[in-house]
Amino acid sequence: MPNPLLWLTDVHLDYLKTEQQLVEFCAAVNQHKPHAVVITGDISEAPTLLYHLGMMRDLIEVPVYFVLGNHDYYRGSIAVVRDQMKQLFPTTYLPCAGVVELSYNTVLVGHDGWYDGRYADWFNPKVVYMSDDYDTIRELATSPRSCGKPLQQPLWDRLQRLATQGADHLEEVVPKATEGAANIIIATHVPPFPENSVYDGKVSSPMWLPNFSSKIMGNKLLDLAKRYPDKQFLVLCGHSHGKATYQPLPNLVCKTGYAQYKFPEKSIQMIDVI
């Protein structure tokens, strides 16, 4: 009998006004009686992330596995937040947890990932400027571009390093995951293919797509799926707040989860784990 995995994404718990709303959200999760929970990023913001993760750990009755999204680093540091995750959530923060066994035949792995601007012209001066990302995350903080001028090369280089970290992590853990399982579920935040970067039923335009997709991650997923053709890969992502399913290969399916600010329960999806 399948074990249900409850999938959440972009819950943005910092938008909830009261602790009671958070308690009610966790109760809604428990009502589905999942075997486990996975969150594909944008849980909160850096100053409140530990509080929200701690509350979920205390109130949700099953393990809550997660990766982080760009919002989780707002008003903080990527290095500091990730170090906190390693210290306080080493078995549920997926970049630390490694390969998580969900059943005898299915495992879960994951990494935050990052957008890399490679599916469109990130240097186009008309591309949307992600001000909160670039101005409030310590590692990305840089002088804003002048009106009408391209984004700066140093910032581009930082994005490439962040995106590559996610791909490198999958290169490390997926071969281990395939040793004993036929089904590999991969959690990440940023859509790895343009077809998954969907909002309001439409694929992101070239002005948004550079900030809402990761070609580096997409290429790695294609490589891994081709390398292990007898394994089934299911990728779960978020970031764009639109629901989408894309299957670039017979053994590779990528799903983007729907999300809405202030209503985290609307992102709930159930995944059967065989």
Side-chain angles (χ1 to χ4, degrees):
M1 187 173 181
N3 296 318
L5 173 69
L6 189 146
W7 169 32
L8 301 162
T9 194
D10 299 82
V11 290
H12 295 285
L13 298 179
D14 51 298
Y15 276 71
L16 299 182
K17 294 182 178 180
T18 67
E19 185 175 288
Q20 181 59 31
Q21 288 179 304
L22 178 57
V23 171
E24 292 172 358
F25 165 64
C26 292
V29 170
N30 288 330
Q31 286 179 355
H32 288 270
K33 300 187 182 303
H35 176 71
V37 174
V38 62
I39 309 177
T40 49
D42 278 6
I43 297 166
S44 185
E45 293 188 357
T48 52
L49 180 61
L50 292 179
Y51 163 71
H52 287 129
L53 285 171
M55 287 289 287
M56 285 192 291
R57 181 170 58 186
D58 292 343
L59 296 175
I60 294 176
E61 297 168 353
V62 295
V64 179
Y65 301 103
F66 64 95
V67 298
L68 299 180
N70 53 316
H71 279 248
D72 295 308
Y73 299 113
Y74 282 6
R75 281 159 275 285
S77 158
I78 294 173
V80 170
V81 170
R82 286 181 175 174
D83 188 59
Q84 291 173 335
M85 298 303 104
K86 292 174 184 177
Q87 292 184 38
L88 301 175
F89 301 91
T91 62
T92 53
Y93 179 47
L94 289 173
C96 299
V99 180
V100 175
E101 183 178 326
L102 297 177
S103 75
Y104 75 95
N105 211 26
T106 302
V107 296
L108 172 68
V109 300
H111 194 277
D112 308 352
W114 208 271
Y115 52 87
D116 62 8
R118 289 176 175 261
Y119 284 120
D121 181 11
W122 186 83
F123 288 94
N124 187 321
K126 295 182 180 180
V127 166
V128 174
Y129 183 77
M130 301 284 280
S131 58
D132 283 332
D133 289 27
Y134 302 149
D135 298 341
T136 75
I137 299 174
R138 186 177 304 167
E139 286 83 352
L140 300 183
T142 184
S143 56
R145 62 178 176 180
S146 301
C147 182
K149 292 185 178 180
L151 293 162
Q152 297 178 353
Q153 185 69 40
L155 180 53
W156 163 266
D157 294 339
R158 295 169 197 167
L159 299 182
Q160 304 313 297
R161 288 195 292 270
L162 287 169
T164 299
Q165 288 171 6
D168 288 348
H169 180 76
L170 294 190
E171 179 62 38
E172 178 184 352
V173 299
V174 167
K176 300 175 184 176
T178 62
E179 292 175 0
N183 306 304
I184 295 90
I185 299 177
I186 299 172
T188 191
H189 182 60
V190 176
F193 304 105
E195 293 84 354
N196 286 106
S197 180
V198 171
Y199 178 74
D200 199 21
K202 298 179 181 179
V203 173
S204 297
S205 73
M207 298 302 100
W208 286 94
L209 187 61
N211 302 307
F212 283 86
S213 58
S214 175
K215 188 175 183 180
I216 290 173
M217 182 66 83
N219 287 346
K220 177 55 63 177
L221 290 167
L222 292 171
D223 171 60
L224 290 167
K226 291 174 182 177
R227 202 185 313 170
Y228 301 100
D230 59 331
K231 308 296 182 180
Q232 294 296 316
F233 294 88
L234 172 62
V235 182
L236 306 177
C237 64
H239 192 44
S240 66
H241 287 215
K243 188 174 182 179
T245 299
Y246 176 56
Q247 185 170 3
L249 293 172
N251 67 329
L252 175 60
V253 176
C254 185
K255 292 180 176 289
T256 315
Y258 173 80
Q260 185 176 345
Y261 290 110
K262 301 181 182 180
F263 299 96
E265 69 280 358
K266 290 191 176 185
S267 78
I268 292 176
Q269 292 192 53
M270 301 301 292
I271 306 291
D272 285 339
V273 175
I274 300 174

